[in-house]
Amino acid sequence: MPQQNINQDSFDDDVPEELPPPAAAAASTDALDALLDEIDGNLQVNAEQFVRSFVQKGGQ
Amino acid sequence: MRIVGLETEYGITDPADPRANPILLSSRLVNACREWAGEKTTRWDYGGEDPLMDQRGVRRPRTHVIPELLTDAHEFNAAANSVTLRRRRGSWEDPAHLNAVLTNGARFYVDHAHPEYSGPEVSNARDAVIWDRAGDAIALAAAGEYARIEDAQVALYKNNVDGKGASYGTHENFLIRRDVDFDVLAARLTPHLVTRQIYTGAGRVGLGVRGEEPGFQISQRADYMETEVGLETTLRRPIVNSRDEPHADRSRWRRLHIIIGDATTFDVATFMKLGTTSLVLSAIEADDQRLAALTLAEPVGDVQRVSRDLTLREHLNLADGSVATALEIQRAVLEIARDYVADAVDAQVVGRWESLLERLARDVFETAREIEWVAKLQLLGRMRGKYGTDGREAPWDDPRIVASDIVWSQLGMGLAARLDAAGQVERIATDEEVAAAIEHAPQDTRARVRGAVVANLPDIVDAAGWSTIVLDREANHGHLEVVHLDEPASASHPLIDELLRG
């Protein structure tokens, strides 16, 4: 559980520059591309029909 | 500690037959869930429900409500003792209202035209995540059993919209003290419910109830909220639902039923949804006056305004004439909530809350491993680039993008599940904890009693509800015995404990 000790000032709109960018955002690029490649074939074939046929009844 | 619970209505389809009757599919899925559970399940006790009681102190006449609200059966059982007798009736079960009460204390059943998992009562937001994920796993196990029995597939979606106008819900329940004035509660909680979506939203492709306008918004549910406070859940949906059905000692407790939230597949979203709201309720129970300063001038319109503002910069009008962004309101709520931290989970909620708001203000994409709408926006944004032509991104209403929004939430093989499997989603609950919660109930609420009875005494259980367990055993009086569990935080009952000891 990351519990950064952030003081009140960092809530201001102009954030101090010394805060490091998270490594996670950059690291995920390859994973996202791999996922997009993985689903590409299915989407090309039947996306339109799939969207049209996804019909639910209203619930709560 | 606050008793909370989470209910999820899943979207359901037969991939080979899109026109299959969803009530029938749901009923067969619940039947498959019972098969999966084997001996260790029981049916639902409809004996004590009172769905027409309004938190605002009046009971709606039966002739003045839509039929869906009439979920109570032929008996209203106002019990005085912890065990009462009930006359035997026929044991016919309506296949359109099939139920399975499970060993983990949950209820899996048909609600309207959807299968629903109502998780067991838990004592904190972290446990809520664990038993919510267990519900997804149980739904998937039921789908596996369905495939075996029916020789057909069923696909389940943890979302809230079909893009054709239908919406179905994910409901949060919070136990709060009866002496809290409901109108004050509704007024003070509303600013939080309107603005918390910036970290609890699941993201949605399409604007408007039918997605008639192309675009992306933060919340699945925002376009379906039509009023501030009300009894209904299927039409004129309110930000704060006023159904007064405590499923507990009415003199001590209210159960606050929140229907505005999105179904969430990300642990952090689920954790924050329950954890932050629970802390705000503590502030309301303490009559903290600071919340009143956050009252919004147009809360219903603001639900959509916040949902459609991906920059998080739009100003909302407050009742006192000032303006504030959703982020600013959340920072103010956080500062108040900080004073009500009572345990380690609360402290985790506040730490995460602070961190998320700070990163959202800087660059929303820094939260892509935790906030579901941001992760969805990131993935689908990349997809728009990939499918774009002539140097332009594919439009939001490109069928491949719209389809991906639906597939995002599919249980088992959806895009969110695949991101999780690829290590791209931050987890709160471990796989081991979730696996254990499929079978076992929380040990610190009355769900322990319900779960233990279903697991160990299935032969003498006739039915179970949130606050009742109905026993059918040899006795001189010849009647059913109704064991009342009116204290949700009480994890034992003398008669049940005696029976469990054998």
Side-chain angles (χ1 to χ4, degrees), chain B residues 397-413:
Chain B
D397 57 356
D398 182 305
R400 292 167 294 191
I401 310 291
V402 181
S404 297
D405 185 21
I406 298 169
V407 174
W408 176 272
S409 70
Q410 188 178 351
L411 292 190
M413 58 198 297

Side-chain angles (χ1 to χ4, degrees), chain B residues 272-334:
Chain B
M272 295 301 291
K273 184 165 71 174
L274 291 153
T276 62
T277 306
S278 182
L279 283 166
V280 175
L281 291 170
S282 295
I284 292 170
E285 284 179 326
D287 197 25
D288 195 312
Q289 304 291 321
R290 292 175 290 175
L291 289 165
L294 303 174
T295 304
L296 296 162
E298 310 142 29
V300 176
D302 286 341
V303 173
Q304 290 175 22
R305 223 163 272 134
V306 173
S307 183
R308 293 171 187 219
D309 172 27
L310 306 185
T311 70
L312 310 183
R313 300 231 163 114
E314 186 154 333
H315 286 104
L316 310 178
N317 292 317
L318 302 193
D320 65 9
S322 62
V323 296
T325 66
L327 266 172
E328 286 165 346
I329 290 170
Q330 276 297 312
R331 283 181 196 132
V333 175
L334 165 62

